[in-house]
Amino acid sequence: MANRTPTKRAAAIPHGLDREQLLDMYRLVRLTRALEEKLELLFKQSKVIGGLFRSLGQEGESVASAYALRRRDDGTGDVLSPLIRNLGSMLTVGARPDEVVRQYMAKGDSPARGKELNIHFTDYQRGFIGQISPLGDLVPVMAGVTLTFKQRGEDRVGMVYIGDGATSTGAFHEGINLAAVQKCPLVVIVENNGWAYSTPTRMQTAAKSFTDKAAGYGVAADRVDGNDMLAVYGAAKAAVDRARQGGGVTLIQVDTYRRKGHAQHDAHGYMDPAEIDRWATSNDPIDRYVATLTENGWAQAKELATIDARIDRELDEMIAGVEPSPLPDAEEARTDVVSGGPVAAPWYRLSPPDPTKA
Amino acid sequence: MATATRSKPEHVSLTTQRKPVTLLEAIREGLWEEMERDPSVFLMGEDIGAYGGAFKVTEGMLDAFGSLRVVDTPISEIGFTGAAAGAAHMGMRPVVEMQFIDFIACAYDMITNYVATSRYRGSGAVPMVIRGPSGGYVRGGPFHSQNPEAAFFHTPGLKIVYPATAYDAKGLIKAAIRDDDPVLFFEHKWLYRRPQLREVLPEEDYVVPIGKARTHREGTDLTIVTYAALVHKSAEAAEVLEKEDGLSVEIIDLRTLLPLDDEAIVASVKKTNRLLIVHEDTRTGGIAGEIAMRVSEKAFEWLDAPIQRVTAIDAPIPYSPPLEDYFLPQTDDIVKAARWLANY
Ligand SMILES: Cc1ncc(C[n+]2csc(CCOP(=O)(O)OP(=O)(O)O)c2C)c(N)n1
């Protein structure tokens, strides 16, 4: 990336954003990539329990879309439900990097207390609901979340992410259709990253675009270059504003590309290395954003480098702090199944065993 | 109709090479041979084609059989399960893969309401197989580790198979494909590539009959009835009990959960007079309860001790290692329970 110092007067920033917000978005997208890189390192050291999913190459759309939400930490803001590759969105609405690392390392003090994994965690105060693995299920859930906003007359908005693959699920159709007929204040971001595991998008849908589907549900649609952060922000902001003003559901198709395998264990032999390389060298969302910032005179390369350095330092410190955290106590497996105390321990687990009271 | 069989890619191992195979390879061989034997057999599922499936069970099969018989599907569990039923009505024998068995829940309606009732309603047989990786001990978290058998065990019209050895896995997948009823075929992912389970399989075509249990280990003091991964944990426990307590433990591997082989269970209980049922699924409403009841109906007089069970606790399956270890039955639990039963 060329280090261009702005010489002329800075161009006007679009979408009502200010310089501080632009730099904040930069920090978030850099943080997303850096955090995933750290997680990859931890994965290679076998410190991550279970799988690791990267969003390399699509961090921009995650951050920029979530940035359009009204973020609060008192349970009155908008609500978002991410997907596996939306670490950026989670960080944007206030999830902390240490929470994410604790989740991946299955620590007892992780937000899901070791019971759930990766970014599957929830905080209603900050406004995010953890997804579950069965794809599509959070679309109906977010229809209900936003229906409630309407019922209570709150001017809050929901945003739910769905992969190109997961739009094939029944849950997706039922959820968006319900939200559509109820005119729920919901923004549905369809992330078209070219792949669903090894399956290319053309094998998920015969439709020319996902915006075509929006017409079928009778909802507004937009389609945007997912690696152009300001364009994504603009589309998301318009959809969020529309939802807040009672305009109902918008489906936004975000075109981007997954530059890794489905997960760390996937050698992705089905992908064309040249294509990955093309996206990496000429269509990286962060590179493009940096160019936009510097070329328009909105930021200087030096400022951005300072942000980068701080992120690296803070992540290293954070990880050093998280690593010694203990795993949960085994007995915690029995808690929170239902209200009113833990479920029974089997008699052969009691110490000393008292089989007569089995 | 069916595409001609092409040659098998070099890297795919099949029994004809006379090498010991893993449970996973045994299933692949079973599928492969049935595809070769019967042009109406075809596969459907997510990423099963060029990718060969999330666990590579169907590796090489797209090249060998073509895309009309190895059908990659959208992420649509209801869709492809229903489509399999439709194809089965038309005389095909579809084998559907759930990428993880946890997602079978998405197709629950189609399986329980449509498929399982078809014959009874007069819509005819539905000869289809739904197969997929099941089970825990792999730190897969709540949605990649489940054992959903009990939900379907309670559904008349289905058969359920859950093999524990490579030999059985191959023989049972073939039997499932040839069966005229819908068969759920669970594959324990912890067993998939366990080197200890490798075995050389017979060269000739064989099937293992659905509905017949197998004695995994002979014994006289106590019967353990179990299946899938816990056959092996029970065998470990039996070794410990033999060495440390001088106990002779008989292990019955159910292999088929629906229909249950009462006869084999009852015969063993009549011989040992003590019964421990061990399964990985959660406790309440689990299959152990049904087995205990049947034994109580058919062999109460022969029992010298109350029937006991070792199962997962009544919770969703957690992710973190100490939690998963606590949730799932461990060898030590089986030892403790068996020891208590033997001393009763
Ligand atoms: C109902 C369901 N079926 C199958 C899976 C297994 N699975 C997990 S991720 C994935 C691919 C998802 O692709 P996409 O929705 O395009 O999201 P992306 O990974 O591209 O971000 C599949 C098939 C699942 N999680 N849920």
Side-chain angles (χ1 to χ4, degrees):
Chain A
M1 193 45 45
N3 278 352
R4 265 177 242 176
T5 312
T7 45
K8 283 183 279 172
R9 212 155 48 88
I13 302 171
H15 312 304
L17 288 163
D18 59 29
R19 209 183 84 89
E20 215 171 295
Q21 289 172 312
L22 290 183
L23 287 177
D24 192 30
M25 261 205 271
Y26 176 75
R27 177 186 63 80
L28 287 161
V29 76
R30 284 295 320 188
L31 176 62
T32 305
R33 183 164 296 177
L35 178 53
E36 282 190 5
E37 281 166 2
K38 299 284 180 202
L39 283 167
E40 195 167 316
L41 222 65
L42 292 170
F43 182 88
K44 287 179 179 149
Q45 299 165 351
S46 302
K47 290 174 181 167
V48 163
I49 316 279
L52 173 66
F53 300 87
R54 292 285 314 263
S55 66
L56 181 67
Q58 53 183 95
E59 304 97 331
E61 47 103 350
S62 266
V63 168
S65 51
Y67 209 80
L69 295 173
R70 192 158 69 198
R71 286 156 285 144
R72 300 271 187 278
D73 56 10
D74 60 359
T76 65
D78 295 337
V79 173
L80 165 148
S81 178
L83 220 74
I84 34 174
R85 291 182 221 290
N86 293 123
L87 173 62
S89 313
M90 289 281 281
L91 296 171
T92 299
V93 296
R96 296 192 315 269
D98 75 277
E99 293 177 309
V100 175
V101 173
R102 283 178 219 276
Q103 284 282 118
Y104 269 103
M105 295 179 89
K107 298 293 192 185
D109 58 5
S110 64
R113 305 167 322 285
K115 285 169 170 162
E116 250 280 35
L117 38 72
N118 61 50
I119 60 166
H120 291 195
F121 64 99
T122 297
D123 186 319
Y124 295 112
Q125 294 304 109
R126 283 173 283 176
F128 51 84
I129 302 187
Q131 65 153 146
I132 63 169
S133 301
L135 293 165
D137 282 10
L138 267 297
V139 180
V141 171
M142 288 301 288
V145 165
T146 50
L147 177 64
T148 298
F149 296 158
K150 227 184 93 174
Q151 288 164 328
R152 293 193 191 140
E154 298 170 352
D155 68 340
R156 299 164 71 189
V157 168
M159 182 175 281
V160 63
Y161 294 85
I162 189 89
D164 46 290
T167 62
S168 304
T169 62
F172 168 76
H173 294 287
E174 296 190 19
I176 192 170
N177 190 57
L178 172 58
V181 297
Q182 290 292 339
K183 271 190 162 289
C184 293
L186 181 63
V187 180
V188 180
I189 309 269
V190 176
E191 294 178 305
N192 175 25
N193 64 4
W195 298 98
Y197 211 144
S198 74
T199 307
T201 305
R202 68 170 190 289
M203 293 300 288
Q204 289 296 340
T205 180
K208 279 206 300 291
S209 78
F210 293 95
T211 47
D212 283 358
K213 298 195 175 194
Y217 300 116
V219 302
D222 202 349
R223 181 172 183 170
V224 60
D225 175 348
N227 289 11
D228 177 344
M229 288 180 63
L230 287 183
V232 174
Y233 175 83
K237 185 71 171 54
V240 165
D241 288 347
R242 179 184 302 123
R244 213 183 302 285
Q245 286 149 21
V249 181
T250 304
L251 181 157
I252 304 177
Q253 171 171 347
V254 162
D255 295 312
T256 180
Y257 193 78
R258 190 191 80 197
R259 279 178 12 217
K260 287 264 181 185
H262 173 62
Q264 208 60 26
H265 60 255
D266 170 11
H268 60 278
Y270 51 87
M271 290 169 78
D272 173 7
E275 189 175 65
I276 298 177
D277 199 52
R278 226 169 21 249
W279 282 85
T281 51
S282 60
N283 207 351
D284 180 76
I286 303 186
D287 288 350
R288 283 179 63 185
Y289 191 52
V290 169
T292 307
L293 293 180
T294 52
E295 281 163 17
N296 285 299
W298 297 331
Q300 297 193 14
K302 230 174 44 204
E303 287 179 283
L304 304 181
T306 310
I307 294 174
D308 294 354
R310 208 173 110 198
I311 287 169
D312 274 337
R313 199 177 54 244
E314 287 180 355
L315 283 182
D316 285 337
E317 282 169 16
M318 177 275 287
I319 288 166
V322 165
E323 281 199 58
S325 264
L327 296 176
D329 283 344
E331 296 262 344
E332 290 293 320
R334 297 196 286 122
T335 62
D336 290 324
V337 180
V338 287
S339 59
V343 297
W347 61 264
Y348 44 80
R349 287 283 175 77
L350 299 175
S351 191
D354 184 2
T356 56
K357 300 216 173 72
Chain B
M1 171 196 56
T3 344
T5 299
R6 285 171 255 167
S7 63
K8 174 182 74 60
E10 271 309 300
H11 62 284
V12 178
S13 75
L14 290 172
T15 321
T16 44
Q17 295 165 346
R18 311 300 304 145
K19 278 193 305 205
V21 298
T22 61
L23 185 135
L24 182 146
E25 289 164 336
I27 294 167
R28 180 190 299 144
E29 288 185 12
L31 292 170
W32 200 292
E33 290 176 15
E34 290 307 293
M35 291 277 278
E36 283 180 336
R37 191 187 57 79
D38 179 356
S40 62
V41 177
F42 78 101
L43 311 180
M44 265 202 296
E46 295 155 13
D47 307 289
I48 64 166
Y51 192 65
F55 288 87
K56 306 287 180 193
V57 174
T58 56
E59 183 162 48
M61 298 189 73
L62 175 69
D63 286 346
F65 299 101
S67 60
L68 286 178
R69 296 188 66 200
V70 180
V71 181
D72 264 326
T73 63
I75 304 173
S76 307
E77 282 75 10
I78 308 171
F80 61 71
T81 305
H89 288 328
M90 294 295 109
M92 300 296 278
R93 291 193 173 256
V95 181
V96 156
E97 175 175 302
M98 293 287 162
Q99 195 158 83
F100 282 84
I101 206 69
D102 311 64
F103 307 130
I104 198 173
C106 303
Y108 185 77
D109 164 56
M110 194 56 78
I111 296 168
T112 57
N113 281 326
Y114 191 84
V115 172
T117 63
S118 178
R119 181 188 286 277
Y120 196 67
R121 289 182 286 107
S123 281
V126 189
M128 62 183 273
V129 178
I130 301 174
R131 45 161 294 270
S134 319
Y137 301 100
V138 296
R139 319 307 191 199
F143 306 105
H144 291 79
S145 313
Q146 292 174 31
N147 274 291
E149 56 265 30
F152 299 99
F153 182 70
H154 190 63
T155 306
L158 300 176
K159 290 176 176 169
I160 304 177
V161 172
Y162 208 161
T165 67
Y167 178 91
D168 283 354
K170 181 172 177 183
L172 281 162
I173 191 71
K174 283 166 158 271
I177 291 171
R178 296 179 197 184
D179 200 285
D180 285 336
D181 292 315
V183 180
L184 309 189
F185 189 89
F186 295 147
E187 304 167 4
H188 204 292
K189 64 179 86 67
W190 186 69
L191 301 183
Y192 262 160
R193 297 173 199 275
R194 273 184 97 66
Q196 301 93 315
L197 262 56
R198 277 180 189 277
E199 56 184 312
V200 175
L201 303 181
E203 214 158 343
E204 67 280 5
D205 179 41
Y206 72 95
V207 293
V208 171
I210 288 178
K212 288 270 167 273
R214 172 185 70 93
T215 306
H216 184 75
R217 188 186 200 275
E218 303 255 9
T220 51
D221 294 331
L222 160 88
T223 296
I224 294 180
V225 167
T226 185
Y227 56 93
L230 289 184
V231 168
H232 304 287
K233 301 225 181 250
S234 296
E236 270 173 34
E239 294 294 322
V240 174
L241 290 160
E242 183 171 275
K243 224 183 282 153
E244 294 181 9
D245 305 60
L247 281 174
S248 163
V249 176
E250 176 146 302
I251 298 176
I252 304 293
D253 170 8
L254 289 172
R255 308 197 284 197
T256 299
L257 307 181
L258 199 65
L260 259 185
D261 187 354
D262 298 9
E263 258 177 55
I265 299 167
V266 166
S268 179
V269 169
K270 286 185 177 174
K271 178 169 129 192
T272 66
N273 314 111
R274 285 175 165 79
L275 174 60
L276 177 65
I277 308 158
V278 177
H279 65 56
E280 187 181 324
D281 191 8
T282 51
R283 201 169 183 81
T284 301
I287 287 168
E290 178 65 26
I291 295 170
M293 193 60 215
R294 291 197 195 186
V295 169
S296 142
E297 285 165 351
K298 295 182 179 174
F300 182 72
E301 299 283 297
W302 278 268
L303 287 172
D304 286 345
I307 300 169
Q308 293 291 333
R309 58 185 161 164
V310 171
T311 67
I313 65 169
D314 281 329
I317 179 164
Y319 165 56
S320 193
L323 303 182
E324 196 202 33
D325 289 348
Y326 187 93
F327 169 87
L328 289 171
Q330 304 296 337
T331 302
D332 195 41
D333 299 325
I334 305 170
V335 170
K336 272 194 198 158
R339 194 169 272 156
W340 177 85
L341 257 182
N343 292 330
Y344 183 88

